[in-house]
Amino acid sequence: ESDSKDDNSTATMKVNYGPALWLFFGKNYNSNESLLGRPEHTDSVTHDGTFHYQLSGTKIWRVRPTAELMEQNESSPSNKKRKVEESESDKEANNHHIEVECKEGDILLLNTRLWWHSTIIPSQDDPCISYARDIYFSEQKHDCENEQQPNRESSMTNVDGTWATEAIEADTILFTEHNMPDIELPRVQLRTEMASFLDNTASEGPNCQLVELEDDEGGTFMAVVTLRDIREGEFFTLLESDDEEESGDEDCSEEALEEEE
């Protein structure tokens, strides 16, 4: 609790926990090399952060801020008061990693959507075990009614997909049929829960579409083009075509007819 300077009233920071408990196991016995986790990434989540409790062993986190976090920091009131000229080193600050060594009993609190992160398990005799909980912050007055509010549903999940490593403008050609990588982009409609699953700005909907373009020789080729501006760390999602929607409707109609028969 902290005393407010304005009215000397007492306020509390209320923290709600998600229902899920995420467990992470790893071992790196008698090795001369460190064991690397997933490549550097951000998570598509809507909570305010995750706390990671190190139960056993040691884990090293490598983190760096996303462009979105840097912009938020620059626009904060405290930074607006500063009158310091920006240097080249300041511009490249988000490319510098911070290493955090978590040992048994340590807790790391991190918003994994706003921080690029990866983990390393050094060689050690003990297994590396940790668990994580999603949390939500809300500044509310301390009363019984607020204490009875149920925790929000967990918004964290494992998602395999392809995301933007930097901000991308609308109408940018991402891939063509000639250089398309071996990936499958999730197809979503303009209004669907899948968009919310992959991107916490569900109202924006899918961010890419498949279009037919014309080359210099008068021929045509297929390409994936961005529908709107895409943020750094946002997953690529493909607008479902009319043919796919109609095919789905036909399948549903056929199933309905079979049930009637």
Side-chain angles (χ1 to χ4, degrees), residues 170-175 207-211 213 223-227:
D171 299 322
T172 299
I173 298 177
L174 292 179
F175 320 110
N207 51 35
C208 300
Q209 65 177 339
L210 186 64
V211 299
L213 301 177
V224 175
V225 181
T226 56
L227 280 168

Side-chain angles (χ1 to χ4, degrees), residues 38 40-52 61 63-72 109-118 134-136 155-157 163-165 195-202 204 230-235:
R38 288 182 59 191
E40 185 183 64
H41 63 285
T42 58
D43 296 324
S44 181
V45 294
T46 58
H47 52 67
D48 295 312
T50 309
F51 78 81
H52 296 256
W61 288 75
V63 300
R64 65 182 177 92
T66 61
E68 180 182 354
L69 181 58
M70 295 290 286
E71 291 174 2
Q72 290 181 10
L109 177 61
L110 186 71
N111 187 323
T112 55
R113 183 180 69 84
L114 295 176
W115 288 85
W116 291 98
H117 58 283
S118 60
D134 304 335
I135 62 173
Y136 303 85
S155 60
M156 180 178 178
T157 186
W163 60 86
T165 57
S196 177
F197 176 71
L198 290 174
D199 182 12
N200 57 19
T201 54
E204 296 175 345
I230 299 177
R231 301 184 309 277
E232 177 189 16
E234 184 179 345
F235 281 90

Side-chain angles (χ1 to χ4, degrees), residues 88-103:
E88 290 298 322
S89 60
D90 294 329
K91 295 179 181 179
E92 298 177 357
N94 63 329
N95 291 325
H96 296 167
H97 291 84
I98 301 172
E99 285 199 358
V100 181
E101 184 181 53
C102 290
K103 296 184 177 181

